[in-house]
Amino acid sequence: MSRSDYIKLPILFWKYSGEHLIAHALGFEYELMGDDPAKLKKMFSEYLKKKLDDPFFSVPDLEDPVLLNLEISHRPSLKENNAFFPSSEKIQLHIPLVYGMGEHGHYDCFLPTLDTSFQSYHKNQITLLGEHYIRDMFQSFTPAKAYSHLLHSEPYLDEIRIRTKAGFGFRKRKVDAGMPPSLINNAEKLPYTKSIRQKISTLTNQAWEQGDNINAVINKLVREKASVILCGDPGVGKSSILYEAIRDIDRRKTHRITFWKTTPRQIIAGARYLGDWQETLETFIEDLTSVRGILWLDDFISLVTTGGDGPESSMASYLLPFLKDGGFQVIGEMTPQELDVAKRLLPGFTEHFQVITIRELEKSGILKIFQLYDEYVSKTYDASIDPDALTLSYSLLRRFVTYEKFPGKAITFLSSLVDEALNNQKREINQEDVINAFIAKTGLPEIILRDDVMINERELNHYFESRIMGQSDAVKHITSIIKVFKSGINDPEKPIASMIFAGPTGVGKTASVKLLSEYFFGHGQKSNPLIRLDMSEFQHPDQIYRLIGTGGSKPGKMIQFVRERPFSILLLDEIEKANPLIFDALMTVFDEGFLVDSHGRVTDFRNTIIIMTTNLGGQSKRSPGFGNNTGQDYRGAIRKFFRPEFFNRIDRVVIFNALSQQHIDSITVKELDDLKKREGFESRRIKLEFSEKIVRYISNTGFDPNYGARPLQRAIEKYITSPIAKYLLKNRKLTNCTLKIDSGDDGNIHISKYNGR
């Protein structure tokens, strides 16, 4: 098999804590952990196979990759109040570097554990450049982060090979005769050929119902020879409009214009040395103008933040003279928030662009696009979408997918439906397919999504009351949120709900959050719908950036999680321990339903339920436990602690009661019933019976007035699970029987067996 018949992808392995393997395939942003290297390679292979038809996806193409182990001495330091406090000891870093000859004649070099790469034109400079990059990155690392990069074993290099499909041609760019290498190496030539467009999948880029905007772009580019920014919310069709305008200009064959698409970072990725990007960018511009090229820059806002230490020394600033001369044309897309940020960071830059505002279509235009897409699918794939399924798709997308606009979210969703149907050799998509796809996308239960299904209040109350003991008032609040959301009368411009859960420790606050997340968002999505953040980690002013980020390429924890899981419950544990600056950020979320970072990127919280837990009010002079503290104690303490403007933006304060002995008994029975269902018992067909005496013993032992039912799990593990485990180890062949667990007068646990079901 020749090199052109397969993709060969280097993959780096090393051990973690002497046990598990870590695998990092070059070009991938994430790592996998496991015990079997063959399984890890298979997982990467399966993902790579799915991406073969994506023209925007590429993998490193290294010839004879080599692994170097760079040894560097580093003294960690902590920066605080603009002062550095170096560690007394140095650490020896062993950082793996993988390099190989790339397809364009230079060496592509990767630092997998640092998630970065660079290029070298001379082999003897690879080690020097690698050490330079490593030292530069570690200067900004905290000691904890520096120590996290210590490897636990010697890494080794392997590879996976994937046979390419017939006609596959995206791994290497096809070099057009006479085109400058800097363009070929760092940009995609547009428009794509028909064969490439057909491999993009059912996600069409046709700009239906956008004729006026397409003509406006063509007029600005061809007649006025202007640079253009399309400004609009995500999903309004900016990319499709630009691409259709490019395709229209190319079809006319009268203007001899070429079009190229890339990102700011990709243009300067080939810079030989750090800080040498200006020369690379100037060469790129000269080559572009030599072929009458118009440049489409993706991730346009990064022009202002890429290159130098600030906007004044960024790529955007460097491009200003070329834009003023008028011989260099650029097109791009921005959201309104990103455009505002660009104007603020570098005043005058956007003045050299013609801004065309793209707004979301009216309902009639959106429904027309639904019909046109159905016709496109019928003609191209011999499949169809039932009209009722189209109507249902519009309704669900309009109500629930608020973080993106039409028609983008419709085309994306319908394309996923068609892909799934074609994979299953199905030619017609109906309402059931739409519901199932939406459950998988959002995790919302079918009873929420279907207007023809009503909630049974008795069943809903029982679902929560049977799992949350002794908290009838909390259950009323929780079920009320579900009923309001089901009715569609919640405020669509705010989070679904924002609440404070208050009460003693160990009474079910966190357990209630978990249960609500399972009911609300746990029916389809693969990721855990519960995002839990310990607010005691964000007590200092600087730590707000760890929570919400600084606007750079790596967002803060909360922003990252909500972007990944927009349909989720955000649990902010012990909210009172957070720095007050965080309360200000949360007020914006409560009011507007989203946060905008310093680069204009929007994070939408309107499909989240935000729950904050607190123990405020539980430290009164009254003794804790068994209902001494009242709801007024907690509400009063919460009102006193938070500023009125913060408190008044919270939808509900839910007070959890202290647990009575009866409640503890009920919780004990429930936990023991759950123990019976563990796989180790069910697989061996072993039933468990608990005497009243042992139940009462566990109930008394597992309850603490200061910690509620929290010690109950430990008591069950200590007094029930461990003795049974020892018993089963002594009786390895035991199966198909019942074990009766009792407590003797001597306080010891007694286990007796009798056969039969």
Side-chain angles (χ1 to χ4, degrees), residues 356-526:
I356 300 176
T357 301
I358 310 298
R359 294 182 172 83
E360 188 175 35
L361 294 172
E362 298 292 334
K363 181 178 179 180
S364 58
I366 296 169
L367 295 179
K368 177 65 175 177
I369 289 176
F370 274 75
Q371 297 172 4
L372 291 169
Y373 183 79
D374 183 34
E375 294 172 7
Y376 165 81
V377 169
S378 177
K379 180 179 178 181
T380 309
Y381 302 101
D382 191 27
S384 64
I385 307 174
D386 183 77
D388 290 336
L390 290 173
T391 302
L392 179 60
S393 298
Y394 171 77
S395 176
L396 293 176
L397 290 167
R398 179 180 56 81
R399 181 180 173 196
F400 296 109
V401 184
T402 55
Y403 49 87
E404 190 177 355
K405 300 295 184 182
F406 286 111
K409 60 183 176 183
I411 299 299
T412 302
F413 180 70
L414 294 175
S415 296
S416 67
L417 284 176
V418 174
D419 281 335
E420 183 69 20
L422 295 178
N423 289 336
N424 296 324
Q425 284 89 45
K426 187 177 178 181
R427 294 294 169 183
E428 185 174 359
I429 297 165
N430 55 33
Q431 287 182 296
E432 200 65 31
D433 298 319
V434 172
I435 290 290
N436 292 334
F438 221 83
I439 291 173
K441 178 181 178 67
T442 65
L444 290 167
E446 186 173 353
I447 196 170
I448 295 290
L449 299 176
R450 299 187 74 110
D451 290 335
D452 57 339
V453 179
M454 301 301 294
I455 285 181
N456 185 309
E457 290 194 39
R458 180 178 296 178
E459 292 179 358
L460 180 65
N461 291 335
H462 177 73
Y463 178 87
F464 286 96
E465 287 175 347
S466 62
R467 294 164 173 82
I468 306 173
M469 305 295 181
Q471 305 296 347
S472 58
D473 187 58
V475 168
K476 288 179 183 177
H477 285 288
I478 291 171
T479 56
S480 175
I481 291 168
I482 296 170
K483 288 182 281 189
V484 168
F485 189 73
K486 164 66 177 176
S487 303
I489 57 176
N490 59 297
D491 189 337
E493 299 304 320
K494 294 183 178 182
I496 296 171
S498 55
M499 300 183 285
I500 287 182
F501 280 8
T505 297
V507 296
K509 298 191 295 291
T510 302
S512 299
V513 176
K514 290 179 179 178
L515 188 60
L516 182 59
S517 72
E518 292 170 5
Y519 183 91
F520 223 106
F521 301 115
H523 296 264
Q525 52 181 334
K526 296 178 182 178

Side-chain angles (χ1 to χ4, degrees), residues 587-616:
M587 280 198 294
T588 301
V589 174
F590 298 156
D591 262 351
E592 302 174 5
F594 59 83
L595 272 180
V596 182
D597 67 20
S598 60
H599 288 187
R601 297 184 177 94
V602 177
T603 304
D604 197 309
F605 289 78
R606 286 176 290 179
N607 283 309
T608 64
I609 297 174
I610 301 175
I611 299 177
M612 299 160 281
T613 66
T614 182
N615 290 322
L616 289 171

Side-chain angles (χ1 to χ4, degrees), residues 78-83 142 537-550 556 579-582:
L78 184 65
K79 182 180 180 182
E80 189 170 334
N81 297 327
N82 295 321
T142 63
E537 298 179 8
F538 307 96
Q539 298 186 38
H540 302 289
D542 288 347
Q543 292 173 326
I544 187 174
Y545 300 115
R546 290 179 47 230
L547 186 72
I548 65 175
T550 59
N579 187 272
L581 286 175
I582 292 173

